[in-house]
RNA sequence: GCCGGGGUGGCGGAACUGGUCAGACGCGGCCGGCUUAAAACCGGCUGUCCUUCGGGACAUCUGGGUUCGACUCCCAGCCCCGGCACCA
């Protein structure tokens, strides 16, 4: 008679997950102590880090993916005997959280704290092995005190400064944005078209590190090529020359930047950006003054997007610039395709060799003079700008430089200019300084005081933190809401004691997240941002995991911070993240999961339905971690089935107790091969989906023979292997079943190592090919000699059938793998 | 335009340094078992075409090439994705 299954026999994820989560919490299982002073960071300690979440809502599947990936890696490393620092925190300040608060109606602090609680609960429900003793929130004074302290260190070194500059303004968010936060002329967060304004703002001098950010990429292991490319593109280094033209008549200098000094003899006009400060002076009192002023005004009224898309236009100033290389005076125009932000805001225009200059010259009938020609060719009739450049092109119509190749010409002309102090080799960058101030409430206050007598005065370290004042009306209104906290703003000048006013702008959230990975190492330090010995022990982060969307923003800012702090001798390393892994995004029904599209599957929903373990397995099984993936509701049922199969299998094995059957055989060999595959995939290849396929295979194999009593010993060994290998992916069910099998704490056991003798097989299958086509397969003992293999292969009937008459011309043997007979 | 990454069944993908019918594993589909029945579960089949059922031919975006042997290497092209872009 079949017995009714009892409750403890049925797989109940909710109950066992709650049980083990409680055990881990009670025992502080994943808490990692700081090292003893003087401990070397070499050897068996490591730092695994995933990008911290914004608490602007609940966790979504992208987070589940990110943190499960890190969790699997962490478990394996810990079981290999490594001490793994694996902390968690919340990027709690900033537009994300503040906008969430505005939407929900409430104070940002309350909404943020509520979201943090929800996220923490979700994280615990997923069973991630996090060291909760190091949890930080960037919006707490214990944290942002040190953000302010760091700002002051940058300020002391001239790496943060204030200046008036044209800046990008988001009219919806009512705040300025960093260049990195403007995508296609729109606000990165809300998609609103940004405007241009001239404002006095705070900047970090990241441009000073442009070359180091490029050159020190060499030190980065296994950063994805696309991330490095994006950073290179963003920094936009280009080598060229600074050439000093002069205003005809006044002699005033008009420097330009060009990457093509070899085309200097082809400059037929000169152009200034409409914002160029010299324009009014050049035209003052001339007949052109009115027309030029009108043009400048018109251009200013155009949006950035309009200016970029319409046909280039401009206006003549009536003045001329003198070309230093030949003394020629060329007309100075004002043209809207010249950008004030790049180079010097002025260009020498070479219509024959630049597409844009060519268009402009055509439109206004300006001279086009070819000075570079293809090798062996000569100056051709005008047929558009000749911009192709290969190294064998030669200079023509270029005075004493005629006949040189283009690269030679570049060097020679630059050297000629340099000798006469009218130019020099120089490098241009696309990268601009990082605009860090924001006219919003929910951020870290900038710790300076403005004093009429003393100017900008830093708040002394011992007066930190400058607490963010509690105000009711925090809504953005164009100037910082902090300005309305009058009692807070009014403060004695730390320098002279006179009347001072606090800075009312707050910092960009990316400042908070540019150093959080340092704080984790020494999260509870009340005396310093960190103890350098401790930070140097854990860091750099050995494995960083996060979304591709931070390829330029966060990842470049954090690199900049680390380099600057290293230069201040606060850190012993120059790159924060040795290895980086960027995960793909999760889609459903072909679109990114989002509330507005109604295609969201919440982690809570999936956990309730299938359990955290099935979700953890599925999220990693979907496909290669670095690619975008499509969520499938049916797909998760596959891994839920796997968990259930393992559950039923183990209970059967446990019910049998000890068995007499031998604990070796083909199934044990299969188990050892699986150990090899799983370890190699995770540790060497950083691949997380194929190990699950390997586990599916092993479980399938066990199921095929599990009812054969003579194999009960093998079945037990293989089942234990499955539990051990699945533990990083499905820690709750693995732990529960391990306990039921009579084991101790599975998460504390050593990660299994395959026995090489069991991985290798004594019988191998040899492929026999004729002319590269497979015709037969032979089972032979491993290590068979080549001539024996050839003899066997030639003896095969199938081979003979395809060989026909005559003897083979050649045979190729790959030991233990194949024989190829060439007829 | 410049830079980077890709293109494999109905779908997600596997094949790691060129070497066993390319397509593991999962999803979906088909068939069978169990069941009064259904679900669940268990087992089998599932690239295309031909077949005398032994097998054979074709097949990893397209076209060439290297090689005994190519998803993998080389050349040319097409397509998709990402970054940068009036950047001088």
């Amino acid at each position: 008679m079949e017995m009714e299954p009892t409750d403890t026999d049925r797989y109940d994820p909710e109950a066992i997950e709650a049980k083990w989560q409680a055990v881990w919490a009670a025992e502080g299982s994943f808490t990692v102590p700081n090292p003893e002073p003087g401990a070397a960071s070499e050897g068996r300690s490591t730092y695994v880090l995933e990008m911290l979440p914004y608490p602007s809502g609940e966790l979504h599947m992208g987070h589940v993916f990110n943190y499960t990936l890190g969790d699997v890696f962490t478990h394996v490393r810990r079981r290999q005997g490594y001490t793994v620092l694996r902390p968690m925190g919340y990027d709690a300040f900033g537009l994300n959280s503040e906008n969430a608060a505005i939407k929900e109606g409430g104070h940002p602090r309350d909404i943020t704290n509520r979201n943090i609680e929800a996220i923490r609960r979700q994280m615990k429900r997923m069973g991630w092995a996090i060291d909760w003793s190091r949890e930080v929130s960037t919006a707490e004074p214990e944290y942002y005190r040190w953000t302010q302290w760091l700002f002051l260190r940058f300020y002391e070194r001239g790496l943060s400064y204030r200046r008036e500059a044209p800046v990008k303004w988001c009219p919806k968010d009512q705040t300025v944005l960093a260049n990195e936060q403007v995508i296609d002329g729109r606000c990165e967060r809300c998609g609103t078209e940004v405007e241009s304004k001239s404002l006095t703002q705070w900047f970090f001098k990241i441009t000073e590190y442009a070359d180091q950010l490029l050159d020190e990429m060499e030190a980065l292991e296994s950063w994805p090529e696309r991330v490095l490319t994006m950073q290179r593109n963003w920094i936009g280094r280009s080598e060229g020359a600074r050439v000093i033209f002069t205003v005809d008549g006044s002699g005033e200098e008009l420097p330009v930047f060009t990457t093509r000094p070899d085309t200097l003899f082809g400059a037929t006009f000169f152009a200034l950006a409409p914002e160029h400060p010299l324009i009014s002076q050049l035209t003052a009192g001339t007949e052109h003054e009115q027309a030029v002023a009108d043009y400048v005004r018109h251009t200013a009224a155009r949006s950035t997007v309009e200016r970029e898309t319409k046909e280039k236009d401009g206006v003549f100033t009536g003045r001329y610039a003198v070309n230093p290389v030949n003394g020629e005076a060329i007309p100075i125009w004002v043209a809207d395709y010249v950008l004030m932000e790049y180079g010097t805001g002025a260009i020498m225009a070479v219509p024959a060799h630049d597409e844009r200059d060519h268009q402009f010259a055509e439109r206004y009938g300006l001279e086009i003079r070819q000075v570079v020609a293809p090798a062996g060719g000569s100056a051709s009739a005008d047929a558009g700008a000749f911009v192709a450049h290969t190294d064998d092109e030669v200079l023509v119509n270029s005075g004493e430089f005629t006949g040189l190749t283009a690269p030679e010409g570049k060097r020679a002309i630059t050297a000629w200019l340099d000798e006469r102090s009218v130019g020099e080799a120089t490098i241009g960058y696309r990268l601009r300084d990082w605009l860090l101030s924001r006219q919003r409430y929910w951020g870290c206050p900038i710790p300076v005081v403005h004093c009429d007598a003393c100017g900008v005065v830093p708040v002394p370290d011992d007066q930190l933190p400058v607490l963010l004042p509690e105000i009711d009306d925090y809504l953005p209104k164009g100037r910082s809401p902090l300005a309305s906290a009058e009692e807070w703003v009014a403060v004695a000048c730390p320098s002279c004691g006179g009347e001072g006013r606090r800075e009312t702008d707050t910092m960009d959230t990316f400042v908070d997240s540019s150093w959080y990975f340092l704080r984790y190492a020494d999260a509870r330090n009340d005396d310093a941002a960190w103890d350098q010995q401790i930070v140097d022990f854990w860091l750099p982060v050995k494995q960083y995991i996060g979304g591709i969307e931070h390829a330029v923003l966060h990842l470049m800012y954090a690199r900049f911070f680390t380099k600057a702090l290293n230069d201040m001798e606060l850190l012993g390393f120059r790159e924060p993240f040795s290895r980086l892994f960027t995960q793909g995004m999760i889609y459903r029904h072909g679109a990114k999961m989002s509330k507005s599209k109604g295609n969201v599957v919440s982690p809570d929903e999936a956990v309730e339905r299938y359990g955290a373990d099935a979700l953890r397995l599925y999220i990693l099984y979907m496909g290669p971690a670095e690619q975008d993936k499509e969520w499938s509701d049916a797909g998760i049922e596959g891994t839920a089935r796997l968990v259930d199969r393992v559950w039923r299998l183990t209970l059967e094995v446990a019910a049998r107790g000890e068995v007499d059957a031998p604990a070796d055989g083909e199934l044990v060999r299969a188990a050892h091969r699986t150990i090899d595959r799983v370890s190699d995939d995770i540790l060497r290849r950083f691949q997380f989906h194929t190990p699950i396929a390997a586990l599916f295979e092993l479980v399938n194999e066990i199921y095929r023979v599990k009812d054969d009593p003579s194999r009960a010993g093998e079945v037990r060994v293989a089942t234990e292997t499955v539990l051990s290998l699945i533990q990083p992916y499905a820690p709750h069910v693995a732990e529960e079943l391990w306990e039921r099998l009579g084991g101790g704490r599975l998460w504390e056991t050593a990660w299994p190592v395959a026995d090489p003798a069991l991985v290798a097989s004594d019988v191998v299958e040899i492929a026999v090919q004729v002319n590269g086509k497979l015709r037969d397969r032979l089972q032979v003992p491993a290590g068979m000699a080549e001539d024996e293999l050839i003899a066997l292969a030639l003896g095969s009937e199938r081979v003979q059938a395809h060989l026909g008459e005559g003897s083979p011309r050649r045979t190729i043997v790959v030991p233990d793998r194949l024989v190829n007979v060439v007829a």
Side-chain angles (χ1 to χ4, degrees), chain A residues 266-343:
Chain A
T268 54
F269 67 100
F270 193 96
L272 296 169
E275 298 81 6
H276 200 283
L278 241 47
I279 290 174
S280 51
Q281 186 190 318
L282 283 176
T283 56
T286 71
E287 53 176 314
H288 296 275
E289 184 171 18
Q290 193 55 46
V292 170
D294 285 348
Y295 178 76
V296 168
R297 211 172 40 248
H298 270 111
T299 305
R302 284 183 177 127
S303 77
T304 328
V305 175
E306 186 193 352
R307 185 167 159 183
E308 280 176 15
T309 45
K310 65 159 200 40
E311 205 187 333
K312 298 172 203 349
D313 56 25
V315 63
F316 179 47
T317 61
R319 304 291 299 268
Y320 292 81
V322 178
N323 186 338
V325 83
N326 57 9
E328 194 177 347
I330 54 177
I332 302 176
W333 286 66
V334 176
D336 66 351
Y337 74 96
V338 182
L339 306 175
M340 196 59 222
E341 308 94 89
Y342 188 75

Side-chain angles (χ1 to χ4, degrees), chain A residues 42-53:
Chain A
E42 299 306 310
R44 303 193 79 75
S45 64
T46 188
Y47 188 174
V48 175
L49 181 67
E50 302 105 303
M51 291 178 187
L52 81 182

